[in-house]
Amino acid sequence: EIVLTQSPGTLSLSPGERATLSCRASQSVSSSDLAWYQQKPGQAPRLLISGASGRATGFPDRFSGSGSGTDFTLTISRLEPEDFAIYYCQQHGSSRPMYSFGQGTKLEIK
Amino acid sequence: QVELVEAGGGLVKPGGSLRLSCAASGLSISDYYMSWIRQAPGKGLEWISYSSGSSAYTTNADSVKGRFTISRDNARNSVYLQMNSLGVEDTAVYYCAGGDNYEVFESWGQGTLVTVSS
């Protein structure tokens, strides 16, 4: 079973600052199998990044994903008020369980 | 526009059963890989069940194996989750999610709350 560990658990930043969120896998993950989701209070998650770096429709280019192997990063270049949310990484694998999520990083306004 | 709408949540006693449904519009679920994902109150996301487009392949997380069953009716464009032997640990918002890429969850429903309590 591949375990995804996200850090930090909570990130307190101000609008305009740069956010760097980490997702570390317990085993190597194919980049094509790593995704990020954004979840705002009371809403369902939204696919943000697929294939480690491919931005989903509707998200601006201040969001970017990178990484390979066991270390992946979500970067938000300049935070806007609407970016404060919880972010989850997710992987799909050939072993059980079929999918797993990290525990999430809460990005809050400082 | 793709829309997934879950229904069937509610309050159920421990040991009870519930059947959730997920109605799709704007897509043909026969072309979609579909899953159920849950989120306990104040907690993170947990994938629990998957069905391939043809239903030829289904699989569950160990936490629900033997208790939950995913199915689909492509003619009704709907996916279902039969939940048996429910325990308090199954209390969560249940989302259906899927897409034409089995690696990610491109579309999500709004979720339906299941509360297991005596």
Side-chain angles (χ1 to χ4, degrees), chain A residues 15-80:
Chain A
E17 291 192 291
R18 181 184 185 91
T20 302
L21 288 65
S22 172
C23 176
R24 179 162 290 178
S26 59
Q27 304 172 40
S28 184
V29 172
S30 170
S31 294
S32 64
D33 291 331
L34 198 286
W36 292 90
Y37 299 81
Q38 178 193 68
Q39 186 178 33
K40 295 183 179 180
Q43 297 182 18
R46 282 179 66 194
L47 176 64
L48 169 58
I49 297 284
S50 63
S53 60
R55 198 169 50 252
T57 302
F59 284 95
D61 60 8
R62 64 178 180 271
F63 290 91
S64 63
S66 63
S68 64
T70 60
D71 291 300
F72 297 87
T73 301
L74 174 67
T75 302
I76 310 171
S77 58
R78 284 180 59 85
L79 286 165
E80 296 288 341

Side-chain angles (χ1 to χ4, degrees), chain A residues 11-15 80-85 106-110:
Chain A
L11 184 57
S12 300
L13 294 170
S14 300
E80 296 288 341
E82 61 269 26
D83 299 337
F84 291 91
K106 181 179 181 181
L107 179 56
E108 64 177 24
I109 299 178
K110 188 174 182 180

Side-chain angles (χ1 to χ4, degrees), chain A residues 32-35 37 39 42-47 49-51 88 90-92 96-103, chain B residues 33 35 37 39 43-47 50 57 59-62 65 95 101-106 108-111:
Chain A
S32 64
D33 291 331
L34 198 286
Y37 299 81
Q39 186 178 33
Q43 297 182 18
R46 282 179 66 194
L47 176 64
I49 297 284
S50 63
Y88 294 93
Q90 171 252 318
Q91 71 89 29
H92 161 267
R96 293 181 61 83
M98 189 168 180
Y99 303 94
S100 59
F101 290 91
Q103 82 280 15
Chain B
Y33 304 94
S35 282
I37 296 158
Q39 186 169 35
K43 302 297 184 182
L45 301 168
E46 179 190 16
W47 166 82
Y50 164 88
Y57 180 69
T59 185
N60 290 333
D62 288 344
K65 197 175 181 183
Y95 297 100
N101 177 354
Y102 66 86
E103 294 165 332
V104 297
F105 307 110
E106 296 167 336
W108 295 67
Q110 85 289 351

